[in-house]
Amino acid sequence: MVTAEMDMAGRTLYLPRMPFGGSRLLAAAFHSIGFDARVIAESDARTLELGSKYTSGDECYPQKVVMGDFMRLIEDEHLDPKTLAFMIPTANGPCRFGQYASLQRVVLDEAGFDEVLILSLTSADGYAGIGEHARELIRTGWRAVVANDILMKMLLKTRPYEVTPGDTDAVYLEGLETVAATLARPNVATKEKLADIKAALSRVKGAFLSIPVRDEDRPLIGVVGEIFCRLNTFSNEELIRHIEAQGGECWLAGVGEWLWYTNEEQFRRYREEKRRVSKDWLKTYLTKRIQLGDEHALMEDFHDVFHGYEEPHVTEIMEMAQPYLPQSGSMGEMVLSTGGTVFFHGKGADGIVDISPFTCMNGIITEAIYPKVSREHDNIPIRVFYFDGTQSDLERDVGIFLELAATYKRRKKVVRT
Ligand code: SF4
């Protein structure tokens, strides 16, 4: 496992956009424990050029984008490697995701940039890269995740209906800064910080609700898929904006879902290793209780506006996936995407979009399963959109899909709340 050495002094930590808002708030959480953290600049053609230069072509598209973005800082901005640290998420799982951090390390070393640190947050090592502030960061970081999921939900349920284009994006971006300022304050007691975040979110909620909107009846599209490609708007070529431009509204599976899923996976491992009564199990259990409490506290002020948009707990999603992908043999986003599809159908969605990188193992499996899922759920339209940075006729494909969703909307049996 690759982790940072403890000494981050004099370094700036760069975070990939996953999504931008989530990374912005996570950077603020890092600020609260004294780290200089920033979100990497928006990806562009140079990202793909450098991503191609430093990967072999066998890697997943998200790896190419992350690699390209990081190498751009070194090659184009000529930042001193001694002042740099890159954060790369990692997880145990069935696919290549767990190898990203190791590969980035190899590439940096071979290119002569061995002084760049890689911070790879993982519970497997007790978040060793963070040092003494690990617990504090994990708590604030979780609140950042929940806060962004809330703001993203407000963004997506408002933007398609705005009267003046750009209003909702502006409120979202300002809202991020409002919440980030609260998250970034150091040495604040956890209770007080929670109250501050709630107050900040409440102000942003008011700003969202004051945006003039049209009364329209649009097809609701549930969005699932591989976590990076789904959340990184450069990788998915702003698919959600395309759907909105052609008359749809999207409900995007957030980041919190993945963290809850890794929690459940941890419990599954304890069961398999017969460590149900252990210190580690108790630690994970208590962490879960605390995180549930924080999530509930932050969400409760939004119950009125999220009526009909209530999020399931991940265990419900896993149960919904069970008939198609038994948990004893399947892991990762394929489970969440399949369960998420069944969930969205039950909430009255009019279509499901799965965003996956080309050749993604999860996308390949879910694509094989979706016809059965669709057949067993009123033939709801489900479509996998693959991305690899090459051009495709997205307008046309989205248009066709929305036609199917509109037809389904007229005949569907599950009415939306
Ligand atoms: S989920 Fe897909 S894209 Fe992501 S690492 Fe696994 S195989 Fe690659």
Side-chain angles (χ1 to χ4, degrees):
M1 185 58 58
V2 184
T3 57
E5 286 149 34
M6 299 305 215
D7 188 11
M8 281 286 295
R11 291 182 187 268
T12 300
L13 176 66
Y14 285 89
L15 279 58
R17 295 176 165 236
M18 204 180 140
F20 166 72
S23 300
R24 173 68 192 93
L25 296 189
L26 189 57
F30 272 106
H31 273 274
S32 73
I33 59 161
F35 280 44
D36 175 15
R38 295 178 201 179
V39 185
I40 203 102
E42 201 153 353
S43 309
D44 54 19
R46 180 73 171 145
T47 299
L48 296 184
E49 191 185 329
L50 288 172
S52 300
K53 178 178 166 186
Y54 287 104
T55 54
S56 70
D58 288 337
E59 301 83 354
C60 307
Y61 184 48
Q63 169 72 85
K64 185 173 163 182
V65 172
V66 171
M67 179 82 74
D69 279 340
F70 285 155
M71 299 315 282
R72 203 175 45 167
L73 282 175
I74 300 173
E75 284 212 4
D76 293 1
E77 296 191 27
H78 307 292
L79 299 182
D80 180 354
K82 285 199 288 297
T83 67
L84 290 176
F86 298 153
M87 195 187 99
I88 303 186
T90 191
N92 298 321
C95 70
R96 293 169 270 186
F97 183 67
Q99 303 302 317
Y100 287 0
S102 307
L103 178 64
Q104 184 77 49
R105 179 75 275 158
V106 169
V107 168
L108 284 168
D109 290 352
E110 285 180 358
F113 304 121
D114 52 328
E115 288 169 308
V116 176
L117 283 188
I118 292 180
L119 186 67
S120 185
L121 290 186
T122 168
S123 59
D125 63 0
Y127 301 100
I130 306 302
E132 56 176 317
H133 295 293
R135 277 175 59 182
E136 195 183 331
L137 177 75
I138 297 312
R139 185 94 189 251
T140 314
W142 170 245
R143 291 168 171 181
V145 166
V146 176
N148 181 63
D149 280 354
I150 290 173
L151 295 180
M152 179 65 84
K153 227 167 148 62
M154 289 300 292
L155 171 78
L156 296 185
K157 74 188 282 295
T158 311
R159 191 169 63 193
Y161 305 95
E162 67 189 4
V163 172
T164 310
D167 271 5
T168 321
D169 282 329
V171 166
Y172 173 69
L173 291 174
E174 271 173 40
L176 282 177
E177 292 313 311
T178 303
V179 177
T182 308
L183 286 164
R185 281 176 55 213
N187 308 318
V188 181
T190 57
K191 218 169 159 183
E192 191 187 328
K193 182 157 255 180
L194 185 63
D196 288 351
I197 301 169
K198 275 169 75 78
L201 281 173
S202 210
R203 288 199 296 280
V204 184
K205 177 184 170 186
F208 270 115
L209 293 180
S210 65
I211 296 170
V213 289
R214 288 182 305 268
D215 186 13
E216 271 178 32
D217 186 20
R218 290 175 166 237
L220 177 68
I221 309 299
V223 181
V224 296
E226 191 269 345
I227 190 162
F228 183 87
C229 209
R230 180 179 90 223
L231 299 171
N232 180 275
T233 51
F234 174 81
S235 298
N236 63 44
E237 298 176 28
E238 300 273 8
L239 180 63
I240 286 180
R241 282 185 197 272
H242 284 280
I243 292 173
E244 290 173 355
Q246 295 204 43
E249 176 196 337
C250 291
W251 179 346
L252 173 69
V255 182
E257 173 193 85
W258 177 255
L259 298 180
W260 281 127
Y261 177 72
T262 57
N263 245 308
E264 290 305 315
E265 275 298 295
Q266 186 73 38
F267 283 122
R268 186 183 59 80
R269 278 195 292 278
Y270 289 140
R271 284 195 298 276
E272 280 178 7
E273 294 162 10
K274 303 204 185 325
R275 291 202 292 143
R276 278 177 93 161
V277 188
S278 66
K279 218 168 127 192
D280 287 343
W281 182 91
L282 187 63
K283 216 165 113 187
T284 311
Y285 175 77
L286 290 175
T287 305
K288 179 180 169 177
R289 300 304 312 169
I290 290 168
Q291 289 183 336
L292 267 176
D294 281 354
E295 185 181 61
H296 177 74
L298 294 175
M299 278 283 185
E300 68 183 349
D301 299 331
F302 286 81
H303 286 166
D304 54 345
V305 285
F306 290 161
H307 181 57
Y309 294 84
E310 297 84 359
E311 293 289 337
H313 189 63
V314 76
T315 46
E316 291 171 56
I317 295 276
M318 291 161 79
E319 270 166 35
M320 288 174 183
Q322 177 75 15
Y324 307 97
L325 290 168
Q327 284 157 38
S328 51
S330 343
M331 291 171 76
E333 280 114 329
M334 64 182 85
V335 174
L336 299 176
S337 297
T338 305
T341 297
V342 177
F343 166 76
F344 281 131
H345 167 265
K347 294 298 274 187
D350 303 299
I352 314 294
V353 157
D354 179 315
I355 297 178
S356 284
F358 187 58
T359 78
C360 171
M361 294 159 62
N362 285 286
I364 290 167
I365 290 172
T366 49
E367 190 171 27
I369 288 168
Y370 285 149
K372 187 170 191 289
V373 177
S374 174
R375 266 198 312 279
E376 294 178 358
H377 294 86
D378 309 326
N379 287 313
I380 187 171
I382 308 172
R383 157 90 205 237
V384 181
F385 282 84
Y386 284 114
F387 294 92
D388 67 355
T390 56
Q391 295 296 322
S392 68
D393 196 343
L394 208 50
E395 288 300 323
R396 182 204 59 197
D397 293 349
V398 167
I400 294 169
F401 179 75
L402 283 177
E403 280 292 320
L404 294 171
T407 307
Y408 172 81
K409 188 173 189 299
R410 288 192 286 273
R411 65 165 179 79
K412 70 180 176 183
K413 294 177 188 147
V414 184
V415 179
R416 199 175 149 193
T417 310

